[in-house]
Amino acid sequence: MRTTVKLTAAVAAAAALTLGLSACSAPSDTTSSSTKKGKDADPAAKLVVAASPTPHADILNFVRDHLAAKEGLKLEVKEFNDYVLPNTATQSGEVDANFFQHKPYLDDFNKKNKTDIVPVVNVEIEPLGLYSKKDKKVADLGSGSTIAVPNDATNEGRALKLLADNGIIKLKDGVGAEAKLSDVEDDKGVKFTELEASQIPARLGDVDAAVINGNFAISAKLNPAKDSLALEKAENNPYANFLAVKKGNESDPRIQKLAKLLNSDEVKKFIQEKFSNGAVIPAFGPVKS
């Protein structure tokens, strides 16, 4: 079940200064339930975690409903439909942690917003895909085609690399997933529309094709294995999504319990069964620096 919640003025002001993305939902006025942080946090206090609805909240809700009680963990999940507010709420202390992002995105966010959020443990990977309601194969895209891409720096670079890997565009030599539109050496007549990642599925019919993040594709009832024209490879993919906290809270006993549960055999089985179409793949373990 989704939770509709409110922003405090402080978080709203912080969010307004971030990446220029608009939110569809926001955190409640209830702040994090533990006044002490880090290793001194009350292990019996409720742990509030911000997450994108799918698959992140799905996974957390499974942990809450089936695993948390055995570990003495009181878990509350708050859902968000954008990529900014979970971090601003974590930074301000309105939530204790978040689960929605990969490291290239977090590194860019911290740099731009002077925040100090850090990863705790990897959980899963959602391969990026190219989708279209008008074209049936990659070869149909060419001069005059309009392709929507995410407008945040890391996901846009990732999207451009996917297009280049599939011969739709050509990037400058040596440019990979950090690519910007200015790094497109030959667009082959393709035109780009930059949109907030969460809004792209709803605009798919307005463009010839669109690169959509895995979680938003799932929410839009798209099957990556069947519906995508091209799909990012999961093997050696650096974009694992992880549990994250404000620096200093990594040792919170509640966070350590949740990290253990998120990397459990039970969660691995849940991911593999619920997302059997390959849209979400377990990727457990420490986050590489």
Side-chain angles (χ1 to χ4, degrees):
M1 180 181 295
R2 295 193 179 183
T3 305
T4 302
V5 285
K6 298 179 181 178
L7 264 180
T8 63
V11 176
L17 296 175
T18 52
L19 304 180
L21 303 179
S22 59
C24 296
S25 63
S28 71
D29 293 329
T30 303
T31 57
S32 172
S33 53
S34 177
T35 55
K36 293 184 178 181
K37 300 296 181 181
K39 63 182 178 61
D40 296 322
D42 180 1
K46 180 172 61 179
L47 184 71
V48 184
V49 183
S52 297
T54 302
H56 310 88
D58 293 331
I59 295 169
L60 288 170
N61 287 336
F62 172 79
V63 171
R64 180 197 62 200
D65 296 341
H66 300 280
L67 306 176
K70 296 178 183 178
E71 294 290 333
L73 178 64
K74 297 177 182 177
L75 180 62
E76 179 180 347
V77 182
K78 290 195 177 294
E79 296 185 13
F80 296 75
N81 285 311
D82 85 324
Y83 286 165
V84 175
L85 294 176
N87 275 336
T88 57
T90 301
Q91 181 71 24
S92 71
E94 291 216 8
V95 299
D96 298 296
N98 67 57
F99 173 35
F100 76 100
Q101 64 192 322
H102 51 64
K103 195 166 188 300
Y105 177 84
L106 177 59
D107 288 345
D108 183 70
F109 187 95
N110 279 334
K111 181 179 179 180
K112 289 182 176 178
N113 296 281
K114 296 180 170 50
T115 48
D116 57 351
I117 299 167
V118 296
V120 177
V121 66
N122 281 331
V123 181
E124 49 81 19
I125 286 174
E126 305 147 34
L128 206 68
L130 176 67
Y131 300 85
S132 176
K133 289 186 175 181
K134 300 176 182 179
D135 297 313
K136 301 298 183 183
K137 55 185 183 298
V138 168
D140 293 335
L141 296 168
S143 182
S145 296
T146 300
I147 301 178
V149 295
N151 66 359
D152 63 274
T154 52
N155 283 306
E156 182 171 82
R158 195 176 166 192
L160 293 174
K161 184 177 185 301
L162 176 65
L163 297 177
D165 287 346
N166 285 275
I168 300 170
I169 62 172
K170 182 179 179 181
L171 296 174
K172 295 176 181 177
D173 290 342
V175 177
E178 73 284 359
K180 303 182 290 293
L181 285 179
S182 58
D183 293 315
V184 177
E185 187 172 73
D186 183 1
D187 60 18
K188 301 183 180 180
V190 169
K191 299 176 183 179
F192 295 100
T193 297
E194 296 176 279
L195 298 169
E196 179 187 348
S198 64
Q199 302 301 316
I200 294 179
R203 297 284 301 278
L204 182 57
D206 299 332
V207 293
D208 293 295
V211 180
I212 302 176
N213 291 72
N215 60 314
F216 293 130
I218 298 166
S219 297
K221 309 301 182 184
L222 293 169
N223 183 319
K226 296 180 179 179
D227 299 330
S228 64
L229 303 184
L231 195 63
E232 192 178 43
K233 295 180 180 178
E235 187 176 357
N236 298 319
N237 193 311
Y239 295 98
N241 285 198
F242 47 67
L243 179 68
V245 297
K246 185 175 181 180
K247 188 174 182 179
N249 294 335
E250 306 95 306
S251 58
D252 184 325
R254 302 167 301 159
I255 293 295
Q256 292 301 309
K257 288 180 181 179
L258 180 56
K260 176 184 175 182
L261 293 175
L262 286 172
N263 274 196
S264 66
D265 289 339
E266 292 90 342
V267 167
K268 182 178 181 179
K269 183 179 179 181
F270 171 77
I271 293 173
Q272 291 174 331
E273 291 181 350
K274 183 172 180 62
F275 305 104
S276 57
N277 58 9
V280 183
I281 302 170
F284 296 170
V287 180
K288 294 181 180 180
S289 57

